[in-house]
Every structure is written in C-alpha cells, then in structure tokens.
C-alpha cells in the first residue's frame, strides 16, 4: 500500500514502516532542515521525502501523482533531536536563543513574540495554549521587564518567570509557557486542523489514521475530529439520523505508554495514541 509519515523527525517511524513494506511506498514529510539531512541517508526505492509542513500533505501527494493512501501516521510535538539541540530554543533545561521555529526559514520567533506582542495577546496565548492559571500576571510581568532589556535567551525568560512560577512546580510552569510560545510560533493548532481535514480526503476506505499527541489541546482536536469529523466536536447527522463523519475510532480510549516504557523513555509519559479507520 501507500503510506504517509507526516512527521519524519529523526526518521525512526519511517525506517520501521519501510522494514514492513512489501512492494508499497512511503512518503514522509518534515519542514526541518535537520530532518532532511536524516532523510537523505535513507537509500530505499520505496521512500520519498518531502521537505514541507504536513499542512500541505494533499498538495504534495498530488504533485507525486497520489490521490489516495492506505495509512497516515503523525507524531505531533517536538522531535527528540529538536529538543536536544539547545540552539533551537525548545528545551527548558538548556540555555539557548528564544527561537522555537520548526522551519528555520520562518520569520516569527519566540523572541519576537515576547518582545513585540502586546500584553493582551500574550495573556491570551499563555492562557489558551499554555493553560497556565496566572496568564495575565505573567504577560504583564514580561511586558514590564522587556522595556528595560529585551529578552534574548531561554534563560532570560525563565529568570523573569521565576517571580510568578508556583513554588516547587517551576519546571512544569516553564514547560507550559514554552509550549504556548512554540504553538504560536509554528501555528500548530491551525496546521493540525488543516492536516486532519486532509486525512479525510486522502485516506482510502478501510485505511488507518494514527496520531500521537502530547498535550490536551492537540488530543482534544484529534479526538473530536475522529469522533465527529469536526474540530468543535459537534455532531452532524444526515436525514436518517446517521452521523456524518469520515472516521470510526478503533480505540475508544487513547493508548498510553506503560510504566516500563516511560522508564526507558521519559518523553513518552504524556503521549496519547489514537487510531481511526476510514469508513
């Protein structure tokens, strides 16, 4: 069959899929320059790499003469090689520039957001994408502090946030703020919506959609889309009262990592895997 790895990253999933393919094809997507370097190492006649955001999946499949596929896999969030590169600014654990761009050529960075966005917009981002309880206070503090000296590094941001982070839960708080900035920098929720809608168009009847998400905002969108065909979770019915939706959930509850897996790979602790079949 024809398969899509929508988030190539370090290539782990693509390599695993290629090992199972017999006469099929795999098309993988990633906009990251480092991902392209990894993809270039794969010498397999069944493999095609597209250096593009998976938001443009349908368009690129069409360019390759593909209208329908048998399965799509998406592993959302930041890949391990991005987190481990301090200069990308994704990690709360190492100091680096306030960048957070998945596509290094994009114009918007975390530094621009923190130094240029008005207080009200920062408040909205922190509350909506970071789900922090004192979003207004954090936004106000950042606007006050940046007046004297603009924020340049992840350490600058953490130093400012220490004043308002809950005692004993600082790391979790920093992670939520970093998540909010990353989502805004990369328009992640809009990209995910566009991608999910395209899955309904390109996946063949009986084909599978498999999505791994790492925070409640992503998981809610994926769950709503699988269950209702709409991001809002609203159910639309036909004249006979049947639900109008492209997919049927294969697993009602998301699959999560076992304790043993989390021990081996701590980054799997928040992963939720949902599987759906095209109907």
């Amino acid at each position: 069959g024809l398969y899509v790895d929508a988030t190539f990253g370090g290539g782990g999933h693509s390599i695993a899929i290629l090992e199972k393919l017999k006469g099929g094809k795999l098309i993988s997507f990633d906009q990251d320059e480092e991902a392209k370097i990894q993809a270039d190492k794969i010498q397999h006649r069944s493999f095609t790499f597209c250096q593009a955001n998976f938001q443009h999946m349908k368009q690129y499949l069409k360019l390759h003469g593909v209208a329908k596929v048998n399965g799509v896999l998406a592993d959302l969030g930041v890949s391990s090689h991005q987190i481990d590169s301090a200069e990308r600014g994704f990690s709360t654990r190492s100091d680096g520039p306030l960048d957070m761009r998945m596509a290094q050529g994009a114009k918007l960075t975390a530094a621009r957001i923190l130094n240029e966005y008005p207080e009200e917009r920062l408040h909205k981002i922190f509350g909506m994408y970071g789900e922090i309880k004192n979003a207004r206070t954090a936004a106000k503090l950042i606007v006050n502090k940046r007046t004297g000296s603009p924020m340049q590094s992840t350490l600058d941001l953490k130093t400012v946030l220490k004043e308002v982070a809950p005692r004993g839960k600082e790391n979790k708080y920093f992670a939520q703020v970093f998540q909010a900035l990353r989502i805004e920098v990369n328009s992640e929720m809009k990209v995910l919506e566009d991608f999910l809608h395209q899955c309904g168009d390109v996946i063949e009847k009986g084909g599978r959609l498999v999505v791994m998400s790492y925070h409640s905002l992503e998981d809610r969108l994926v769950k709503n889309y699988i269950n209702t065909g709409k991001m809002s979770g609203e159910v639309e019915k036909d004249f006979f009262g049947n639900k109008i939706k492209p997919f049927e959930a294969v697993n009602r509850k998301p699959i999560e990592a076992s304790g043993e897996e989390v021990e081996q790979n701590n980054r799997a602790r928040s992963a939720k895997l949902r599987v759906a079949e095209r109907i």
Side-chain angles (χ1 to χ4, degrees):
L2 274 165
Y3 297 91
V4 169
D5 177 359
T7 48
F8 180 84
H13 287 132
S14 283
I15 289 164
I17 293 167
L18 288 167
E19 283 169 2
K20 300 282 183 189
L21 277 186
K22 289 183 177 68
K25 274 190 178 170
L26 174 68
I27 299 173
S28 297
F29 288 80
D30 209 301
Q31 59 189 339
D32 195 302
E33 193 56 48
E34 288 170 34
K36 186 185 184 303
I37 293 165
Q38 292 301 318
D40 287 343
K41 294 175 186 174
I42 298 176
Q43 300 298 314
H44 198 297
R45 58 191 174 81
S46 300
F47 178 67
T48 303
F49 180 76
C50 301
Q51 191 176 2
N53 189 312
F54 64 18
Q55 184 181 22
H56 309 299
M57 174 179 69
K58 192 176 170 181
Q59 180 189 337
Y60 275 81
L61 289 176
K62 199 176 173 184
L63 283 172
H64 285 89
V66 174
K68 295 282 182 186
V69 299
N70 303 99
V72 174
L73 168 73
D75 182 359
L76 308 174
V78 189
S79 70
S80 291
H81 75 279
Q82 287 170 329
I83 295 170
D84 295 335
S85 306
E87 68 276 8
R88 301 294 294 275
F90 288 112
S91 176
T92 59
R93 298 190 186 281
S94 47
D95 190 28
L98 284 163
D99 192 325
M100 303 194 194
R101 291 172 297 175
M102 299 277 193
Q104 290 100 315
K107 289 192 175 126
L108 187 63
T109 63
R112 273 190 67 182
I113 290 168
L114 290 163
N115 293 313
E116 296 174 19
Y117 273 26
E119 185 184 317
E120 200 45 54
R121 202 163 167 200
L122 285 174
H123 166 213
K124 190 178 172 188
I125 290 165
F126 294 155
M128 195 161 61
Y129 297 152
E131 298 180 294
I132 60 168
K133 292 184 169 66
N134 61 351
R136 189 181 292 281
T137 310
K140 192 178 185 66
L141 179 68
I142 284 166
V143 170
N144 288 341
K145 295 279 185 184
R146 76 189 186 191
T147 313
S149 59
M151 282 183 222
Q152 306 290 346
S153 72
T154 53
L155 186 62
D156 291 346
L157 175 59
K158 282 163 65 180
T159 305
V160 169
L161 291 173
K162 262 182 190 162
E163 289 183 34
V164 292
R167 191 74 48 86
K169 293 182 179 173
E170 291 89 349
N171 286 338
K172 187 186 177 194
Y173 186 82
F174 297 153
Q176 285 173 287
V177 173
F178 273 53
Q179 173 183 297
L181 289 166
R182 195 198 79 221
I183 289 172
E184 177 67 12
V185 167
N186 300 290
S187 306
E188 286 179 30
M189 303 317 286
K190 169 78 170 71
V191 166
L192 179 56
E193 283 190 28
D194 289 352
F195 163 72
L196 289 170
H197 279 307
Q198 289 172 47
C199 287
D201 294 337
V202 304
I203 296 177
E204 195 79 74
K205 190 182 169 186
R208 293 274 174 111
L209 168 64
V210 179
V211 185
M212 268 175 268
S213 51
Y214 295 85
H215 56 78
S216 58
L217 297 172
E218 288 174 340
D219 185 54
R220 199 176 303 132
L221 273 189
V222 175
K223 179 185 173 183
N224 284 349
Y225 179 68
I226 288 172
N227 289 339
T228 68
K230 289 194 171 3
M231 305 302 157
S232 61
E234 271 178 64
V235 177
E236 196 181 330
K237 293 185 176 178
D238 65 16
F239 181 74
F240 302 102
N242 302 310
K243 281 186 190 177
I244 301 168
K245 57 174 191 167
F247 289 95
E248 192 67 62
V250 171
N251 54 323
R252 292 288 163 203
K253 285 186 173 176
I255 299 163
E256 296 182 52
S258 63
E260 189 186 337
E261 188 177 350
V262 173
E263 242 175 69
Q264 289 172 12
N265 173 19
N266 186 251
R267 287 170 188 168
R269 71 192 182 281
S270 57
K272 285 184 164 61
L273 178 121
R274 292 187 185 272
V275 184
E277 192 165 295
R278 184 74 171 89
I279 51 176

